[in-house]
Amino acid sequence: MIERVSKFLDEKLSTPMAKMAEQRHLRAVRDGIISTLPLIIVGSLFLIIAFFPFPEGTAIKTWLGDNAATILLPYRMTMYIMSLYAAWGIGYSLARSYKLDGVTGGILAAAAFLLTIVPESIEELGIVMPMGNLGGGGMFIAILMSIFAVEVLRFTTTKNFRITMPEQVPPSVARSFEALTPAAIIILTIGTITYYLNFDWHGVIGKLVSPLISASDTLPSAIFLMTLIGFFWSFGIHGMSIVGTVARPLWLALLDNNSAAVAAGQAVPHIFPEQFFQAYVMIGGSGATIGLAILLALRAKSQYGKMLGKTSIVPAIFNINEPIIFGAPIVLNPVLIIPFLLTPIINIIIAWAATASGLVPKLYIAAPWVLPTPIFAFMASGGSWQAAVLGIVLIIVSILIYAPFFRVYDNNLLREELGDEAQKA
């Protein structure tokens, strides 16, 4: 029966979903957004510096408040305009997938995105670029413009509708001239729509995606997304690669809104940016497998369980759990799949209740995801010890949920090992 189910899921679900995850446009969006993470992480650290929770009235707190605008400048030029960098990354990745020049694809994508923004005239400064739509709120426009720009580049290349230079011309110069035609098409098309037809790209798209952003910041949505990720992993499919490709632009929009609110001295609006899941749900990796890794390392009686615990505990501390997912394995394991799906749901509910009630602050810092949970929660919350304590509590919850299933799993391994020894004897 299990073999039939496995075969059915492999043919009807695993293979199609794996193909979808490798679809060139989705892959380009994923790679382009991920390429911005170093800027997002480092840039957001300046939010921690500017708003670190030193006691009110102290000299350092007063100094930080007086100099917050200057301290936040690196944040403004990195995370605050993440969509501009993402547009270049998406264009580069998509162009490379078509075996076109990646740099040209990135430049055209960034230009197409910038052409959706209307500069403003300020008497003291001249013509300025409003930065509001360059952040997470403009991510969907960045995705659309990047795809459009590269598809124009591909069309003009495949149809040979371009300026071709003699072979003696250096390749870099030749590529520049070859890009003239797609650049003209992109600039005339997007520029005309934006500036002469007065089409508000960001306003229209913002209204279309606002229900999705609002829906992603709800408890049912959080449970659904994490369950979906766990479900895919249960059959050997990288759940985060599939779900994250679609959900990450929404999560980034939530994070950007939270960070902007903190920078403006306003209340943090959203509970469920991606950092919520990294801090409180995917502890040790998808399925909150840190509990299983600890149990295997400290309580396993079987030789295989002990060995797996020793090899998986260190990666689990840094939220890497492929060794345990494929080593246990959790994939198609009827015993371990249950806590693998259940633990994230319980963690979400506990963390949501703690956040919604004000026991812990909402998260607004893009800390490195490989940090151990308490440290990650402390940084992502801007220095809240309550968030760090909640992370520790959820590790204990993970251990308690996995414990009965671990005992069944370990006993099964022990019986198999004793049976093998008896047969050898």
Side-chain angles (χ1 to χ4, degrees):
M1 181 63 180
I2 294 178
E3 292 182 0
R4 290 181 181 178
V5 173
S6 175
K7 182 179 180 181
F8 173 81
L9 290 172
D10 182 62
E11 294 177 352
K12 303 299 182 181
L13 180 65
S14 177
T15 301
M17 293 307 297
K19 288 181 179 179
M20 187 184 78
E22 292 304 312
Q23 198 275 335
R24 70 171 74 243
H25 296 91
L26 291 178
R27 188 172 68 244
V29 170
R30 180 189 67 207
D31 294 345
I33 291 176
I34 289 176
S35 69
T36 68
L37 288 183
L39 298 178
I40 292 174
I41 291 172
V42 176
S44 67
L45 294 180
F46 288 88
L47 284 169
I48 297 179
I49 298 172
F51 300 103
F52 197 83
F54 290 110
E56 293 292 339
T58 58
I60 189 169
K61 184 69 173 180
T62 302
W63 185 87
L64 288 174
D66 293 340
N67 294 275
T70 302
I71 295 171
L72 288 175
L73 287 176
Y75 155 75
R76 300 286 187 192
M77 300 309 298
T78 52
M79 179 182 175
Y80 194 66
I81 56 173
M82 68 174 81
S83 289
L84 177 59
Y85 298 112
W88 197 96
I90 295 168
Y92 178 90
S93 178
L94 185 57
R96 291 292 300 270
S97 75
Y98 283 125
K99 300 188 184 307
L100 301 172
D101 182 58
V103 174
T104 300
I107 290 175
L108 293 177
F113 173 60
L114 288 175
L115 285 165
T116 65
I117 297 174
V118 181
E120 299 176 1
S121 178
I122 298 179
E123 186 174 349
E124 302 83 17
L125 300 175
I127 303 298
V128 300
M129 178 75 73
M131 299 176 68
N133 290 324
L134 296 177
M139 187 61 70
F140 290 95
I141 297 293
I143 292 171
L144 293 175
M145 290 300 106
S146 300
I147 293 174
F148 170 75
V150 175
E151 290 299 335
V152 170
L153 175 63
R154 183 176 72 90
F155 175 81
T156 57
T157 301
T158 56
K159 300 300 181 181
N160 203 28
F161 184 53
R162 57 180 178 170
I163 299 174
T164 304
M165 302 299 291
E167 294 183 359
Q168 295 81 2
V169 175
S172 58
V173 177
R175 285 197 298 269
S176 298
F177 278 90
E178 290 171 356
L180 284 175
T181 302
I185 294 173
I186 292 166
I187 293 171
L188 290 174
T189 302
I190 306 302
T192 298
I193 295 173
T194 303
Y195 305 129
Y196 308 126
L197 299 181
N198 296 317
F199 182 74
D200 184 3
W201 293 93
H202 295 270
V204 172
I205 299 299
K207 290 180 181 178
L208 291 176
V209 302
S210 60
L212 292 175
I213 294 175
S214 298
S216 67
D217 193 38
T218 62
L219 180 62
S221 172
I223 292 174
F224 172 74
L225 290 175
M226 288 300 107
T227 302
L228 197 60
I229 290 172
F231 176 79
F232 286 133
W233 267 121
S234 299
F235 297 99
I237 308 168
H238 198 300
M240 198 60 184
S241 293
I242 296 173
V243 177
T245 300
V246 178
R248 186 161 282 119
L250 300 172
W251 289 335
L252 282 174
L254 297 179
L255 177 66
D256 183 60
N257 290 343
N258 285 1
S259 301
V262 172
Q266 301 171 353
V268 180
H270 303 299
I271 294 179
F272 293 110
E274 186 175 6
Q275 285 62 38
F276 176 93
F277 305 105
Q278 293 171 335
Y280 304 134
V281 183
M282 294 186 287
I283 306 173
S286 297
T289 52
I290 186 68
L292 179 59
I294 292 173
L295 289 166
L296 285 168
L298 300 180
R299 306 285 297 186
K301 298 178 181 178
S302 62
Q303 292 299 316
Y304 183 77
K306 292 177 181 177
M307 181 273 295
L308 181 61
K310 291 178 181 178
T311 57
S312 64
I313 186 62
V314 173
I317 291 173
F318 298 97
N319 304 311
I320 299 170
N321 67 343
E322 279 80 356
I324 205 167
I325 285 179
F326 296 103
I330 292 175
V331 175
L332 293 177
N333 188 320
V335 175
L336 295 180
I337 282 177
I338 297 172
F340 186 78
L341 296 175
L342 179 62
T343 308
I345 296 175
I346 302 301
N347 283 3
I348 288 172
I349 294 173
I350 294 173
W352 166 81
T355 305
S357 64
L359 293 177
V360 298
K362 297 172 183 175
L363 307 182
Y364 62 94
I365 301 291
W369 63 269
V370 293
L371 289 175
T373 290
I375 301 175
F376 181 97
F378 180 81
M379 291 186 63
S381 61
S384 168
W385 65 266
Q386 295 95 329
V389 171
L390 177 59
I392 295 172
V393 169
L394 293 175
I395 292 175
I396 296 172
V397 170
S398 174
I399 294 172
L400 294 175
I401 295 174
Y402 271 100
F405 301 94
F406 156 76
R407 283 194 288 269
V408 174
Y409 169 74
D410 191 47
N411 288 336
N412 289 341
L413 289 177
L414 194 58
R415 280 194 294 269
E416 291 177 4
E417 291 173 357
L418 292 175
D420 290 341
E421 290 179 4
Q423 288 181 356
K424 291 178 180 179

